[in-house]
Amino acid sequence: MRKVKTAVFPVGGLGTRFLPATKSMPKEMLPIANKPIIQYAYEEARDAGIEKFVFVTGRNKNAINNHFDHAYELESKLDEKNKSQELGQVMGWLPDAGQIAFVRQQKPLGLGHAIWCARNFIAKDEAFVVILADEMMMQSPNRKRNFLGEMIDLYQNKEDISSIVAVDEIDMKDTNKYGIIKVEGAEKIIDMVEKPKTEVAPSNLAITGRYILQPEIFEYLEKFEIGSGGEIQLTDAMKSMCKTHPFYCKKIDEVRFDCGNVLGYLEANIAFALANGAIESDVKKILKKYSN
Ligand code: UTP
């Protein structure tokens, strides 16, 4: 069985679409309901069978490190007061010692550069997962294995050693906001373009924040080619690599939220609140109150 045991979470971006909230606080610590975005991403990876979690952080991101650590004063106070439910929320989900690592991306040179910064933490002969935490997925309650887990299953069942990219069908008018793939047949990727204009976009299939990559990607990333937005882009490295290494796509069949922008973030908050039976009817009342 081909192993996929490591996930990389690039969280070194500046989050400029969320200023001023992200001036001193990481975008990934913004809450959806009462849980920060990065915790959803971690739990998604853990539930898919990931055992090693590598966060690529930058300046002003220490709140993420602290969130994945014990908070002794808080824990002992809650323990004294027998607040077991709250205690579970603080520490019940924490990874075991040694399961997490934090790598510093000293300069935010782009997503591709952030992933390259994790290279020494990835086994040479093992595919790894990349999760963009701000691309959130809402797992439908009757689903046994989450989407990322199904991506891993797809990878393990392929005959060739490949990379897998999650894609979502988008409006053609929005192609300039995403990396777009060109496919042959149902799932083989033969080209990728970062943020193409609608007229030249090869499809409406957008790359959306979940990847299984072969470690050879680092050879392409370390060319440090500057791409769209003046940044070192992951899509550019994958585009070069897909000429000689098999890449497949898997279409997302869950609800997805782009929490990197304010509207997508608000939508995710509303959707998660409505999915919470304890507050659903009150949330509906609030929405009605402000809809008139
Ligand atoms: P985004 O394109 O969302 O950039 O990055 P950003 O900096 O987070 O946000 P805006 O566009 O300025 O509002 C996609 C992912 O890549 C990470 C981000 O943290 C996010 O998860 N990233 C981006 C890095 O880790 N380092 C970088 O240099 C750039």
Side-chain angles (χ1 to χ4, degrees):
M1 177 72 78
R2 287 178 211 147
K3 283 193 252 162
V4 187
K5 292 291 171 203
T6 307
V8 175
F9 301 83
V11 290
L14 296 177
T16 54
R17 286 169 292 163
F18 246 107
L19 287 169
T22 46
K23 184 179 170 193
S24 64
M25 187 181 73
K27 168 172 79 174
E28 298 77 10
M29 284 302 292
L30 291 169
I32 302 290
N34 59 336
K35 202 192 281 187
I37 287 172
I38 192 67
Q39 190 180 334
Y40 286 96
Y42 158 74
E43 289 174 351
E44 180 186 328
R46 181 200 60 196
D47 294 348
I50 296 296
E51 294 170 3
K52 289 192 281 173
F53 308 87
V54 180
F55 298 85
V56 184
T57 69
R59 271 177 297 287
N60 286 336
K61 301 280 179 170
N62 289 344
I64 298 177
N65 304 40
N66 293 338
H67 191 68
F68 283 86
D69 200 354
H70 283 281
Y72 281 110
E73 195 180 7
L74 182 59
E75 287 168 16
S76 72
K77 283 278 177 239
L78 292 172
D79 194 31
E80 263 171 38
K81 293 180 181 172
N82 285 325
K83 298 211 166 203
S84 54
Q85 196 191 339
E86 289 82 352
L87 204 51
Q89 285 173 330
V90 172
M91 55 176 276
W93 53 274
L94 282 180
D96 292 338
Q99 276 193 303
I100 52 171
F102 292 89
V103 182
R104 188 83 162 200
Q105 184 190 25
Q106 290 119 323
K107 289 182 185 171
L109 299 179
L111 171 61
H113 180 259
I115 291 167
W116 178 79
C117 288
R119 68 200 179 282
N120 291 330
F121 293 80
I122 305 295
K124 297 274 177 277
D125 54 353
E126 211 175 286
F128 64 101
V129 163
V130 171
I131 297 186
L132 306 192
D134 56 0
E135 297 267 358
M136 272 192 73
M137 292 212 216
M138 189 181 203
Q139 190 178 331
S140 46
N142 49 6
R143 191 169 180 144
K144 286 210 181 74
R145 186 127 167 87
N146 68 20
F147 177 81
L148 183 67
E150 287 184 3
M151 273 179 83
I152 294 173
D153 297 344
L154 175 68
Y155 166 68
Q156 288 174 332
N157 290 326
K158 285 266 170 227
E159 276 174 16
D160 44 2
I161 306 271
S162 59
S163 298
I164 315 272
V165 177
V167 295
D168 203 5
E169 286 181 55
I170 56 152
D171 246 327
M172 273 314 273
K173 70 171 172 42
D174 292 329
T175 57
N176 63 348
K177 297 182 190 152
Y178 294 92
I180 302 290
I181 60 164
K182 184 175 184 180
V183 276
E184 192 178 74
E187 53 176 24
K188 179 118 174 51
I189 302 178
I190 52 169
D191 201 7
M192 308 184 200
V193 196
E194 183 67 21
K195 302 191 172 79
K197 288 189 184 143
T198 304
E199 309 83 79
V200 291
S203 73
N204 69 337
L205 295 175
I207 301 171
T208 45
R210 302 290 181 278
Y211 314 76
I212 297 174
L213 297 171
Q214 292 299 328
E216 282 83 9
I217 192 74
F218 296 118
E219 294 164 25
Y220 295 83
L221 287 171
E222 73 190 7
K223 292 179 183 154
F224 302 132
E225 276 165 21
I226 306 294
S228 167
E231 296 192 339
I232 299 166
Q233 296 288 358
L234 175 62
T235 305
D236 293 338
M238 293 194 301
K239 177 188 170 78
S240 303
M241 187 169 155
C242 82
K243 306 287 176 218
T244 46
H245 294 70
F247 268 75
Y248 298 99
C249 68
K250 180 169 166 59
K251 277 193 202 162
I252 289 177
D253 55 0
E254 292 283 22
V255 182
R256 176 182 69 87
F257 304 97
D258 181 359
C259 295
N261 70 71
V262 178
L263 264 186
Y265 173 73
L266 289 176
E267 188 184 341
N269 259 304
I270 293 168
F272 275 77
L274 288 173
N276 178 347
I279 54 171
E280 181 190 356
S281 66
D282 286 334
V283 175
K284 280 185 177 155
K285 278 185 207 149
I286 294 170
L287 289 174
K288 204 167 169 204
K289 179 175 163 189
Y290 290 98
S291 303
N292 297 322

